[in-house]
Amino acid sequence: MAPWRGLIDSDYRPRLPVHPGTPAVSLHEGNTPLLYSRHLSGRTGCEVWLKVEGANPTGSFKDRGMTVAVSRAVEAGAELVLCASTGNTSASAAAYAARGGIASAVLVPASGVARGKLAQAARYGARIVEIGGTFDDCLRIARALATSPGVALVNSVGNELRLAGQRTVAYEIVDALGAAPDIHCLPVGNGGNITATWQGYVAYDRGRPRIWGFQAAGAAPLVHGAPVPAPRTDATAIRVGSPATWAPAIAARDESGGLIAAVPDAEIFAAYRELGSHDGVFAEPSSAAAVAGLLARHRAGRLSPGSRVVVTLTGNGLKDPDAALRADYSTTSADPTAPDVARSLGLAA
């Protein structure tokens, strides 16, 4: 078997908007694990699979689209990759720009971006600009600056390059399972991933699941049908008050016969802890919104037993180490002797 070399050099290349001469700026993204969850399957009476997108090179699903966007930017002679971000996009854009040999700049809200994501952008060499506002302000400014010569805006909003790369997650799932699942659950922030995932199933044409999207209750504009001026959630990656990919996200919901619902932070973080303690998967809090939503639907009696369900876990838990240590975490002190450590562990001396 040939080694995996990333999406552009995979069998999916004909489905990507690249040319024969497009350079493959790749960190060998894609081909992420699809793990069967015994715990969630047992709780719901369904067949539940976890698509672990945190296994991508920079730790999130963003790498799927970024390899395409930055490859095309390099091909076009861009000098600067620019993005607005709540964290994951900035890390991915900076990494792929570094890989492609061009500069990067990221615009992030001055508060609420997880430290792990900022650390990545910094170490990849990005110029980081903290904006005194929300993600929506960052995106507005990034769009205004994108008209400058030599600048490539790599946000997924209206960006066919990014969306085409993100569609590959559906291709991989279908190829792994042999068919599309009955339900695909995703966390929803700006709306690009739910859009691309649905479009991927449609394009691959091997079955179409119902798309279930879940927002945090304090940042649920798609649920309420109106922007949220001051979105609130500790799941920072989905803290978006006015999704730029609004209409396509709603279309994914409606065309698939699915839903977009809200879940409170308490349930998101409960699911976040369960993923680690029962499935051994350390996902960032926003990822757990999809699990929390699935469990909420099950409790409400709105999940048919025996359904095949895929849950996208969008990012790695190391993106937000503060969240991991905020609750349900304690240590036990012991003297440097085996008997005292045995005592602290409740073991027989």
Side-chain angles (χ1 to χ4, degrees):
M1 180 182 295
W4 180 260
R5 298 178 58 195
L7 293 172
I8 292 177
D9 286 333
S10 74
D11 290 342
Y12 303 131
R13 183 184 181 108
R15 296 179 175 275
L16 298 174
V18 294
H19 308 126
T22 301
V25 180
S26 175
L27 291 164
H28 294 190
E29 60 293 316
N31 196 29
T32 56
L34 183 65
L35 300 179
Y36 176 72
S37 172
R38 287 190 297 272
H39 174 66
L40 292 173
S41 296
R43 282 197 62 179
T44 62
C46 293
E47 178 187 326
V48 182
W49 297 83
L50 306 173
K51 185 60 168 168
V52 187
E53 289 291 271
N56 276 298
T58 76
S60 86
F61 76 95
K62 305 286 187 178
D63 295 346
R64 290 183 179 275
M66 204 60 70
T67 184
V68 181
V70 175
S71 294
R72 288 289 300 273
V74 170
E75 181 182 28
E79 299 173 354
L80 176 71
V81 165
L82 175 67
C83 73
S85 178
T86 54
N88 280 330
T89 298
S90 66
S92 186
Y96 281 81
R99 185 75 170 171
I102 56 179
S104 62
V106 302
L107 311 183
V108 299
S111 62
V113 176
R115 287 191 304 164
K117 300 170 188 178
L118 282 178
Q120 285 183 281
R123 293 285 65 82
Y124 296 140
R127 296 181 62 184
I128 302 171
V129 182
E130 293 186 330
I131 305 297
T134 66
F135 166 79
D136 306 303
D137 297 312
C138 295
L139 183 57
R140 171 179 51 80
I141 295 167
R143 284 169 157 173
L145 298 177
T147 58
S148 302
V151 175
L153 181 65
V154 294
N155 280 95
S156 63
V157 182
N159 187 334
E160 173 58 20
L161 304 179
R162 285 282 309 281
L163 293 174
Q166 288 175 211
R167 289 180 196 127
T168 59
V169 73
Y171 311 159
E172 289 181 9
I173 290 166
V174 170
D175 286 343
L177 296 179
D182 300 308
I183 299 165
H184 191 135
C185 299
L186 305 95
V188 179
N190 207 35
N193 203 29
I194 188 174
T195 298
T197 299
W198 169 242
Q199 291 175 346
Y201 284 114
V202 172
Y204 220 43
D205 198 24
R206 299 183 193 178
R208 301 182 182 187
R210 286 175 286 161
I211 299 293
W212 286 7
F214 298 98
Q215 298 193 290
L222 296 177
V223 178
H224 301 309
V228 177
R232 296 175 179 271
T233 175
D234 285 332
T236 57
I238 54 174
R239 188 188 292 162
V240 178
S242 183
T245 316
W246 188 302
I250 295 299
R253 177 196 69 186
D254 294 347
E255 291 171 12
S256 72
L259 60 90
I260 298 177
V263 284
D265 271 21
E267 293 180 17
I268 291 174
F269 280 85
Y272 165 74
R273 292 186 289 272
E274 283 192 38
L275 281 169
S277 61
H278 292 284
D279 281 300
V281 177
F282 188 22
E284 67 173 318
S286 60
S287 297
V291 177
L294 175 66
L295 293 175
R297 299 292 292 179
H298 169 65
R299 287 194 303 272
R302 298 179 181 178
L303 177 63
S304 298
S307 297
R308 175 179 278 183
V309 181
V310 169
V311 180
T312 293
L313 302 180
T314 47
N316 192 295
L318 291 173
K319 295 278 190 173
D320 193 352
D322 291 340
L325 302 177
R326 205 156 33 226
D328 291 348
Y329 168 76
S330 63
T331 63
T332 301
S333 297
D335 293 333
T337 66
D340 202 51
V341 172
R343 175 196 58 76
S344 70
L345 295 176
L347 301 176

